[in-house]
Amino acid sequence: MIDNDIQLLREFKWLKTTLILTSIILISFWAYFFLVEIHNPKISDSYIAHELSFPFPDIFWIVALLLLALRWLKLNDIKGLVAIICAGSALVFLALIDISYNTNQGVYMQSVGDFILNITINALSLFYGLKLISVGYILLNKITNRTI
């Protein structure tokens, strides 16, 4: 546990909301994908195969880490910072894989709608992942009183 003078979730008031919201969005996206998108005959088999490599890490790694981080941060436990940094790193890694695939396979060029949707998802994943990593290190520096 961390000294009571520092309340981790109070340092970044938006963090609690975004951890929950991101978890809900990821679960909702995959529910939509499996209920609707996967059955769209216009989507190529290679794209479906690529997308099918994401649900497990998104739900069982990123969402799990986000929810664990929330729980631990509520308890003012330093493990929450580790979970935030790991979740952020996973978001960045998976976004970079998706960007590489979308660029190499021309997914961004299929239509304006596909471009907007995919680039938005990729940019938000990169930005939020990097923000989580940054927040984790800022809070870690604050509680250890040193720069890492």
Side-chain angles (χ1 to χ4, degrees), residues 18 20-31 63:
T18 63
I20 294 167
L21 189 59
T22 303
S23 298
I24 292 169
I25 289 170
L26 282 169
I27 292 167
S28 299
F29 173 81
W30 288 114
V63 170

Side-chain angles (χ1 to χ4, degrees), residues 54-114:
F54 287 90
F56 190 80
D58 277 358
I59 295 169
F60 295 104
W61 186 248
I62 295 173
V63 170
L65 283 169
L66 293 173
L67 296 177
L68 278 172
L70 180 60
R71 176 173 164 66
W72 285 328
L73 291 173
K74 280 182 177 180
L75 297 172
N76 218 35
D77 191 325
I78 197 167
K79 291 183 286 197
L81 302 179
V82 175
I84 282 177
I85 293 168
C86 290
S89 298
L91 276 164
V92 170
F93 178 74
L94 292 176
L96 291 174
I97 289 173
D98 207 29
I99 290 167
S100 296
Y101 177 87
N102 291 342
T103 302
N104 291 332
Q105 299 299 315
V107 173
Y108 292 131
M109 300 304 164
Q110 290 175 355
S111 71
V112 174
D114 284 339

Side-chain angles (χ1 to χ4, degrees), residues 123-146:
L124 288 173
S125 295
L126 276 174
F127 172 77
Y128 187 60
L130 291 170
K131 189 66 179 173
L132 288 178
I133 294 166
S134 172
V135 165
Y137 279 112
I138 288 168
L139 289 172
L140 193 57
N141 290 337
K142 188 171 197 132
I143 63 172
T144 61
N145 293 317
R146 61 181 176 185

